[in-house]
């Protein structure tokens, strides 16, 4: 097993703040025996362990602050088996989403979760319960993982979940480890749920003058028999960052804010039918435009939608938020948060997954000096998370809590719930050695 | 709050074995304050608590063995609110499935889980993570509960889950309590996920000569774009119990074993299309008959399917199993288990949810004297659960472990996994007062 005290900068640099951290060593195990061995060495040396993936996370969840030992699964990245009978892909945790997508390209199946970064490792997406564009129809990472091999802090290994489609046989441990951000165990292997690829897809772009006109359309679609595979919203300002970054133009189409909807189905007929249904329903909508996109347009608009974050980061440092509210609270939340940002003198771009109530807010540093940026950020974040909590929302829909959201999470969460989480952490990792100080203290 | 030491027989009689148990008192709280109060009284008196629902469970999970205090939610059964924007029905845990179905009948929505007993309370279905007929398309209870109010053994109250469609904000506690059979907390209120009712449904009955001919059809359907709302299998023998019990005749149709498939959709057109697709695919199947049922036939066949268990219980005591295996193991498992039952001199009826790999086995007592019945049962159960485990299956798909399956569960489960479950139980209920001795010791 490769172990080195020269830890690559990628792992010691905070992806969002740029801060430099400190890790005492990093190991790249290639077998389960080596993983267990490294965990036992750490236990003996009473050293904390941070499992690292591709370092694409947006909350500092794998950022080493205190000389922790890193456990990288970069050399634990085999695609193990495709089981076409149970529709399961067995993979090691270091495989990236891009690799999984490439592997499945020549098959009849797909893995549904589609988070922003395709360079993320599958293990990392399980640790954060990553979401993405297709969650509105196919669920988040949690719903698409059948089983996982997990190592506990003391080196004990267990398999959680199974290839069975139903399970009332004891406590659900699988879902406890998913989204626990490396604080309860090391996820080393996963059984991914595959689905038959939809044969056809089409995207529709709908333009609105006001957010108030957009929201009722979202509720109506979700309450209908239509099952969009994606239901995204953004405004002109957001898309302009992507246009500049990609040097590609948006459509010449009326509207200030937009819904981008993808429908999928087994054949042209079913798609035509869904489109007709949507078009009929749209007659009562207060929209400015409604356009079923050609294949070229669809690819372009989706490229632009996917590049909003990168477009923003290209021109300024930003703080990326991924709040979520019950879907009937989207409009009220965005309107209120726009005011909050304005009052704090921070520019912000809003976009996100309307079908999930998941709003991305990019707070822009622009010309601010460090101290002023941090000051304004702290004020506005407290307010934002309070407003979200007031509406029954949560601080994180898909990025996780990590380090960056920890203080706000602590304020927003019911203290009893936090106690129970801490009790579970304490019992599974009594020496607090797995990714200590992340999510909560 | 009504508290009495005269505990109704319903709660002290084992639903499966008929055994008589002993409970020292039962309370029927009507408010959260009363629930907390009773829990604190029990804590003070160091008395164990069993939360009871409608006592329809099939594993003795609420059976009182040692004078436990019972907490009934029979008077905590209000339907609180229908939220059409987030498609959520808020209910108290004592509401029955039948009451929920009746309430929703006049709305445009339905609650998908459909376990056998409609008299089960919704809280009970959450505690066992009940499954049912429609799980193949809509998931089990777990996937259809958004949020729950839970009381811990020490009276602390917390809300797990939320109305948000995505959540990466700390550990997933909701799924830990679902399926924990009252051993971790008392579930008192639930936010249920609703869906728009499909406008049309049709059922298809397919007859096969051998089980070997049936299995490939199941895999092919699940791997296709068809999304059946139900995918059940049974043989002639199973259905004959229901025919006698209901005094209704099955169809005059060829076949020894059958697949009963329900398709649903938003309109006739989509249904016709699905039927055509299935009919085309069926040309390559080794079937003896294929019949799209009229509405009357469909209702009748579904009534018969639903009455298999009751039909068996009408003529003999039985031990009802609900094993689950990965779907590609169904045939091999059933064939092997038929041999096992034969060798143990126990007659058994097999049927179940083919789309989930969930096989119901009814072991029949018939004329056996108690001692002989218990002896043969013990031998055969050990063998059955070993064979299931060998194939990657689980002892319970939807009934839970309770008391009856505890010894077999202990044999089948990975010891590390059991340790982790016990650690969690220990930390959340350190005095072991919530439904002690159920699932595991």
């Amino acid at each position: 097993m490769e172990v080195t005290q020269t830890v690559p900068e990628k792992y010691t640099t905070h992806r969002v703040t740029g801060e430099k951290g400190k890790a005492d060593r990093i190991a790249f195990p290639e077998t389960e025996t080596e993983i267990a061995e490294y965990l036992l060495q750490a236990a003996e040396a009473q050293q904390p362990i941070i499992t690292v993936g591709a370092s694409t996370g947006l909350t500092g969840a794998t950022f080493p602050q205190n000389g922790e030992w890193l456990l990288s699964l970069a050399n634990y990245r085999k695609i193990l088996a495709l089981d076409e009978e149970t529709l399961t892909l067995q993979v090691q945790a270091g495989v990236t989403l891009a690799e999984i997508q490439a592997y499945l390209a020549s098959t009849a199946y797909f893995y549904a979760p589609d988070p922003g970064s395709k360079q993320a490792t599958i293990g990392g997406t399980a640790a954060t319960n990553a979401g993405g564009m297709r969650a509105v129809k196919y669920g988040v990472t949690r719903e698409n993982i059948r089983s996982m091999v997990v190592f506990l802090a003391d080196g004990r290994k267990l398999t959680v979940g199974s290839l069975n489609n139903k399970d009332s046989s004891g406590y659900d441990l699988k879902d406890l480890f998913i989204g626990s951000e490396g604080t309860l165990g090391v996820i080393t292997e996963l059984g991914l749920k595959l689905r038959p690829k939809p044969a056809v897809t089409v995207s529709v772009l709908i333009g609105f003058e006001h957010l108030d006109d957009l929201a009722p359309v979202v509720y109506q679609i979700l309450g209908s028999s239509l099952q969009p595979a994606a239901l995204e919203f953004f405004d002109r300002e957001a898309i302009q960052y992507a246009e500049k970054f990609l040097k590609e133009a948006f459509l010449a189409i009326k509207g200030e804010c937009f819904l981008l909807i993808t429908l999928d189905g087994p054949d042209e007929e079913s798609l035509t039918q869904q489109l007709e249904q949507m078009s009929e329903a749209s007659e009562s909508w207060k929209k400015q435009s409604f356009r079923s996109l050609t294949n070229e347009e669809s690819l372009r608009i989706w490229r632009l939608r996917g590049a909003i974050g990168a477009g923003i980061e290209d021109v300024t440092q930003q703080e990326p938020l991924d709040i979520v509210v019950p879907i009937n609270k989207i409009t009220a939340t965005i309107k209120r948060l726009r005011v909050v940002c304005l009052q704090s003198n921070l520019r912000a771009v809003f976009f996100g997954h309307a079908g999930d109530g998941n709003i991305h807010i990019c707070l822009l540093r622009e010309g601010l000096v460090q101290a002023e940026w941090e000051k304004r950020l702290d004020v506005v974040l407290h307010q934002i998370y309070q407003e979200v909590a007031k509406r029954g929302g949560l601080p994180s829909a898909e990025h996780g809590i990590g380090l960056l959201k920890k203080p706000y999470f602590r304020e927003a969460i019911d203290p009893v719930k936090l106690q129970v989480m801490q009790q579970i952490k304490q019992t599974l990792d009594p020496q607090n050695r797995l990714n200590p100080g992340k999510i909560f203290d």
Side-chain angles (χ1 to χ4, degrees), chain A residues 111-141:
Chain A
Y111 171 66
D114 190 31
S117 170
K118 313 307 175 220
Q119 292 315 312
T121 64
I122 191 72
T125 65
T128 55
N129 189 22
M133 311 285 191
R134 291 194 287 242
V136 64
K137 180 165 186 175
Y138 299 109
V140 295
T141 298

Side-chain angles (χ1 to χ4, degrees), chain A residues 7 44 155 161 172 198 225-226 242 245 255 292 321 325 334 341 351 354 395 421:
Chain A
V7 179
E44 200 141 305
D172 174 12
S225 63
L226 284 168
F245 181 64
S292 161
L321 311 187
V325 290
I334 294 180
C341 293
F351 62 98
M421 289 183 193

Side-chain angles (χ1 to χ4, degrees), chain A residues 211-244:
Chain A
L211 204 58
D212 285 327
D213 305 333
L214 180 151
V217 173
V218 174
Y219 312 148
Q220 200 185 324
I221 291 174
L222 293 177
S224 79
S225 63
L226 284 168
Q227 286 200 296
L231 187 49
E232 296 288 305
F233 82 97
F234 48 77
D235 59 15
R236 275 210 183 268
E237 192 194 357
I239 215 72
Q240 277 160 3
Y241 283 98
E243 285 182 281
K244 272 179 214 146

Side-chain angles (χ1 to χ4, degrees), chain A residues 10 24 49 55 66 135 165 176 183 203 262 297 300-301 324 350 391 416:
Chain A
K10 168 182 170 185
D24 279 358
I49 286 262
S55 298
N66 305 306
N165 289 343
L176 187 62
T183 63
S203 291
T262 296
E297 286 171 341
R300 179 152 49 97
I301 302 305
V324 57
F350 290 72
R391 290 167 177 81
V416 176

Side-chain angles (χ1 to χ4, degrees), chain A residues 398-425:
Chain A
E398 48 184 20
H399 297 167
I401 301 300
L403 217 47
L404 286 182
K405 287 180 219 152
K406 206 169 73 164
Y408 316 105
F409 176 62
R410 192 178 47 228
E411 284 176 15
I413 192 172
D414 164 18
V416 176
K417 212 167 150 181
L418 183 59
Q419 282 162 23
V420 171
M421 289 183 193
Q422 286 166 329
Q423 283 177 265
I424 290 171
K425 166 73 174 169

Side-chain angles (χ1 to χ4, degrees), chain A residues 7 11-12 23 25-27 38 50 52 62 64 68-72:
Chain A
V7 179
Y11 298 113
T12 54
R25 69 180 66 182
I26 186 166
Y38 190 59
I50 302 178
V52 296
T62 61
E68 290 95 338
W69 289 15
L70 305 187
L71 191 169
S72 165

Side-chain angles (χ1 to χ4, degrees), chain A residues 294-367:
Chain A
T294 65
N295 197 35
E296 182 280 321
E297 286 171 341
S298 169
L299 288 171
R300 179 152 49 97
I301 302 305
W302 272 108
R303 260 199 312 274
L304 287 164
R305 161 61 191 88
I308 293 173
I312 290 169
E313 287 190 354
D314 194 46
V315 296
T316 175
Q317 189 184 333
Q318 64 138 340
E319 176 91 5
L321 311 187
D322 66 314
I323 60 158
V324 57
V325 290
I327 57 152
N328 57 341
K329 299 289 192 322
I330 300 178
T331 320
T333 306
I334 294 180
K335 283 171 139 181
R336 177 70 196 127
L337 295 186
R338 280 200 197 282
V339 174
V340 165
C341 293
L342 210 67
Q343 286 171 344
S344 309
N345 277 314
L346 266 183
R347 286 224 314 126
V349 179
F350 290 72
F351 62 98
H353 316 294
D356 306 314
N358 179 189
I359 306 164
H360 286 302
I361 309 171
C362 298
L363 298 165
L364 311 184
R365 176 170 173 179
E366 298 188 318

Side-chain angles (χ1 to χ4, degrees), chain A residues 13-39:
Chain A
T13 309
H14 195 301
R15 160 88 174 73
V16 178
T17 64
E19 217 177 320
K20 298 291 171 199
K22 186 178 169 300
D24 279 358
R25 69 180 66 182
I26 186 166
F28 298 88
E30 293 177 36
T31 63
E32 288 194 339
T33 314
E34 291 180 352
I35 292 169
E37 197 184 300
Y38 190 59
L39 286 169

